[in-house]
Amino acid sequence: MTTLDQHLERFLRRAEGLLERLEAVLPPAHPREPDWKRSFAFRWRRKPNGSGSFLQPVLHASGIALGDLHHVEAQKRQIEQNTRQFVLRRPANNVLLTGARGTGKSSLIKACLNAFADQGLRLIEVDKADLADLPDIVDLVAGRPERFVIFCDDLSFEEGEAGYKALKVALDGSIAAQSDNVLIYATSNRRHLMPEKMSDNAGYRHGEDGDLHPGETVEEKISLSERFGLWLSFYPFKQDDYLEITGHWLASFGCTPEQIAAARPEALQWALQRGSRSGRVAWQFAKDYAGRLPDDASNA
């Protein structure tokens, strides 16, 4: 190789390296439009190089159905009706699902997607850290024929977090009207989405007629949850409810009625070890129990 060839090779390597660094910091000139027909569920993702965010299709979405959810009939009926109104382009509310962990809050939203996806419902999951991007997400889907649920799972805020204000404005606080093809469904273990402290009570005051008025701190914590039009509360399951849910999932794995009955003592012990009789715990036990059955027993 001649000296000229060596210099040229070094130059090309340096040029390739420079182009790679430029591609890492520059946003794409023409971002790819999501395939709304092929995918029903999406995640809002930030690019690792900080050059922007994008919608990532969920390739293997949960297949849970409304019929798989037991002992939450009232909550199921309300969110199903609200979602039906939404896909039919009738007035519908943003929804806040709160209460005991593992009782089906997130599963209910996923089941609604599966029930109404054929009617144009789409779901976009947004992490709490990315809630400041809500205006961009709404602008991205505004005017499309599909109906979009923005899903915020397991929300809780500390005082001063940016996402708290962004969600508050997106719900009902901006000069711009909320797009009529977008709703926000959120789950939380906290009714008011923020921690409640003993010091908050110091802000309460009594009126002359004895009425109790909350202070500014309490008002601020309540104001976000009040912007959701529909509240659904979830409660811990009773023992019989937990066993029934366990039986449902065991049956879905092909267990016979005899095997389901024999599994009851282990199911109760499993729940005791975890300190919870929730639907999630029932599902986890059913997977473990059915997976340990011998092939000849599971096919009996």
Side-chain angles (χ1 to χ4, degrees):
M1 180 180 294
T2 66
T3 303
L4 179 60
D5 291 335
Q6 292 174 340
H7 284 301
L8 181 59
E9 183 179 357
R10 285 197 296 268
F11 172 78
L12 290 174
R13 284 202 300 266
R14 292 176 61 186
E16 288 176 358
L18 177 61
L19 287 174
E20 288 177 358
R21 289 195 293 272
L22 284 173
E23 289 176 352
V25 298
L26 291 176
H30 300 287
R32 182 179 297 175
E33 177 75 12
D35 188 344
W36 303 110
K37 301 294 184 184
R38 189 173 182 179
S39 299
F40 299 148
F42 303 83
R43 293 189 181 97
W44 185 252
R45 288 286 182 258
R46 289 186 183 274
K47 295 182 179 179
N49 55 24
S51 62
S53 301
F54 64 101
L55 281 176
Q56 177 188 59
V58 176
L59 301 180
H60 304 288
S62 170
I64 193 166
L66 289 169
D68 291 325
L69 301 171
H70 296 249
H71 300 290
V72 288
E73 298 305 321
Q75 299 93 326
K76 186 195 306 185
R77 184 170 57 252
Q78 291 181 76
I79 195 170
E80 184 181 6
Q81 178 61 37
N82 190 74
T83 308
R84 181 178 294 107
Q85 293 169 202
F86 180 51
V87 298
L88 293 176
R89 289 169 169 74
R90 297 175 180 172
N93 276 305
N94 299 304
V95 183
L96 176 62
L97 302 86
T98 64
R101 66 186 189 276
T103 48
K105 299 185 295 295
S106 302
S107 296
L108 195 49
I109 296 174
K110 298 170 187 174
C112 278
L113 172 65
N114 292 326
F116 293 100
D118 290 343
Q119 300 179 45
L121 186 66
R122 300 293 181 264
L123 184 142
I124 300 174
E125 184 175 7
V126 182
D127 291 337
K128 182 181 73 169
D130 298 327
L131 285 175
D133 294 339
L134 279 177
D136 297 330
I137 299 173
V138 173
D139 288 345
L140 180 64
V141 302
R144 289 203 56 83
E146 298 86 4
R147 315 297 281 173
F148 295 91
V149 165
I150 295 178
F151 174 37
C152 307
D153 193 26
D154 198 20
L155 280 186
S156 62
F157 296 101
E158 300 299 328
E159 294 183 25
E161 284 195 62
Y164 175 87
K165 183 176 180 181
L167 180 58
K168 187 175 177 181
V169 170
L171 286 167
D172 183 21
S174 171
I175 191 171
Q178 182 174 329
S179 178
D180 65 356
N181 70 336
V182 174
L183 284 182
I184 297 175
Y185 284 8
T187 71
S188 178
N189 295 328
R190 294 171 175 172
R191 180 66 177 272
H192 296 309
L193 304 176
M194 294 183 70
E196 299 182 26
K197 304 174 183 178
M198 290 292 293
S199 59
D200 295 342
N201 294 327
Y204 276 92
R205 64 187 187 279
H206 291 274
E208 294 180 359
D209 56 358
D211 285 345
L212 189 64
H213 303 283
E216 292 181 0
T217 301
V218 176
E219 288 280 10
E220 174 66 16
K221 292 184 176 182
I222 295 175
S223 65
L224 177 57
S225 57
E226 282 193 339
R227 294 180 186 226
F228 288 90
L230 183 60
W231 288 5
L232 301 179
S233 299
F234 291 72
Y235 306 97
F237 293 124
K238 299 177 182 178
Q239 178 173 297
D240 289 344
D241 298 340
Y242 164 74
L243 290 172
E244 182 182 334
I245 296 169
T246 301
H248 167 80
W249 289 121
L250 285 170
S252 74
F253 289 123
C255 293
T256 65
E258 293 76 17
Q259 291 168 340
I260 294 172
R264 288 169 64 94
E266 285 191 50
L268 293 174
Q269 184 178 12
W270 182 280
L272 184 63
Q273 290 173 344
R274 282 152 182 78
S276 172
R277 292 193 297 260
S278 70
R280 180 183 297 127
V281 170
W283 160 254
Q284 292 167 346
F285 168 76
K287 287 197 296 183
D288 177 79
Y289 187 87
R292 287 188 286 108
L293 286 175
D295 290 339
D296 55 348
S298 60
N299 295 327

